[in-house]
Amino acid sequence: MTETLASVATEPDAPMLSGDDSPGGTESAERSIYRLRDLDRAAKWVAGIFALALLLAPILAFVHFLPDWMPSQDPALMGIRALDVGTERTPVIGQPSLSGDYVPDHRVNHLGPIHFYMLAPAIRLLGPNVGMLLVSVLIVGTSLLVVAWATFRQLGPRGGLVAAAALAAITYTTGAATLVNPVSSNIAGYPLLCSMVLLWCLLCGDIRLLPLAAVFLSFTAQQHLSVLPTVGLASIAVGVVIAGRSLRSRPWRDPAARRQLLRWGRISAVVAGLLWLPVLVQQFFASPPNLTALVQYSTHDDRPSLGYGVAVRQVAHVLGWPPILGQRNLSGSWLFHRVSLVTWLTTGMVVVAGGILGWRWRRTQPRRAGLVLMAGVLAICGLFSGASVPVGKEQTRLAFYHWAPAAQFFLVTSLGLAAVAAIDRLALARRPQLRAAAVGVLLAAIIGTSIVSTTIHRWPNTLLAAYSPYERSVLDQVTDQVMDHRSEFDDGEVVLIARGEAWHVGIHEALAFEMNLRGVAPKHPRYDGIFVAGERLVDRDTVEAGLVMVLDTADGSRTNTREKALPPDGAELIADVAIPKDSDPGYEYILRSRGTRIRVYLLDRDELLDWGIRRELGD
């Protein structure tokens, strides 16, 4: 085993495809990439152990959140959309964005429904908790493994080890919640990183990964509008470089290379076409067409954005010191801090060091030079993406800056390979035992990082960071008490309404989702029309009853002075659940300011109308 670890640590990088960055024939391509099946048995065991070590972070995050997590707010609404898959209400676009909050009358949905299609069977078979969290783990875990494998495929075992170390640092920094939270803005993060690595592989001439790149790029682009600048600009930049290179080398003159290009190009076109088919169906056969709305929103003159001055500071924080990787409670606001002189100086040093490495590697090790190029591309994407972030309540959300971990991956991997090469020049470093020990230490560090990441007390490990306002037991109690009165409202149309609830709580959406799973589908208020299918909205002419959920204090006093929180006197109280005082620590401030009890009242049709429910019923 020691000899195996030593050989893994010393294996040189593979040459570029065909020796000139261009796709070559099958035989040439097979010789110029690393394949797991070509490793000996012991090396395969080492690779498998490192793969399991990388998966440890999302698995531990799953175990950490599973007992208490519940889908609320957007995840609950996503779960309801997932239940519509396979029916006449099958979604063909993604969740709604907050574009209408920035430019009135310009409502744009996130682009695609792929995530709903993945959630649907998992929720039906395993339930919302296990199903939704497991799908997130599968997405994140697959992204991590593909990144490590793709790097190994281009650079060999040494590159794979450095990539694994960078990935472990990234999973620690983003935190446990980012590894399991199914909300669309979060779930795009690790697929974006994987997409950028696959673009780098295409830049290296590995045309066989084109279909896989189409899958990850399509999935990522459909999740959240905030990733579109990075996905679009990086794809265009890589495409331009590959096109320019092809014009010089003209690979299509080689019949074998031409067959490879046509084969993988056709497969990629079919894959991308299938993944984007629902989006195109919505665009051409539904109203309003979402892609058209996106173009109109993007080009609107009054759309407020942060601008390039703020974006430059964000890029400096990503490239300079102190580094993003290793931060205990990283948030988007971290990128808005004042840029110190040290940060500016270290940013310049990183840029210069990257330029020197890229120039030195451009001919002898062009794949490593490609790492530097991708880091630069992502820095430019960060400038454009950061400048286009809308000014408002979402500007400090980390989900708007998924380009940052991706840029860090390429930066750390390229600098890490340079450091390993420098250490190799030392006579002491050539001893096999020390090389094997270094690999063992790296493995222990990856495992230890995953364990520490989940066990320490910090914001990314709280239920609130995973979009779960209260512990699962609270929702179970509320739902059980409501369903005990099912006979009183199950025969007619019932609408579920919330009062006194902060916008980021979402407990009434959680109740609606849970009731759907138990065979009762309450109608949604009319203002939920952007979140659910039209058939799920209440009709004031046919509604028979209303379930009114109220978040209030223990003595029943109002907690939201902007609206009349409590139903009229005489309304039937059918559920009353106290929020545990030792609830999730991330939610303490909401418990203090937004209430400590959840009450659900049952009102008949006349009581609803007398109470003055107008906006909810469409008046």
Side-chain angles (χ1 to χ4, degrees), residues 180-233:
V180 297
N181 187 354
V183 70
S184 57
S185 57
N186 174 77
I187 205 63
Y190 282 91
L192 175 67
L193 169 58
C194 188
S195 298
M196 297 301 103
V197 171
L198 291 173
L199 284 177
W200 165 66
C201 292
L202 297 179
L203 193 64
C204 294
D206 197 349
I207 196 67
R208 293 184 175 214
L209 298 188
L210 184 58
L212 189 60
V215 170
F216 275 91
L217 286 166
S218 297
F219 177 86
T220 303
Q222 291 188 23
Q223 296 315 300
H224 203 262
L225 299 181
S226 64
V227 301
L228 293 181
T230 300
V231 170
L233 287 176

Side-chain angles (χ1 to χ4, degrees), residues 272-288:
L274 291 174
L275 294 176
W276 287 96
L277 181 60
V279 180
L280 297 177
V281 168
Q282 195 280 336
Q283 173 67 19
F284 292 109
F285 298 101
S287 181

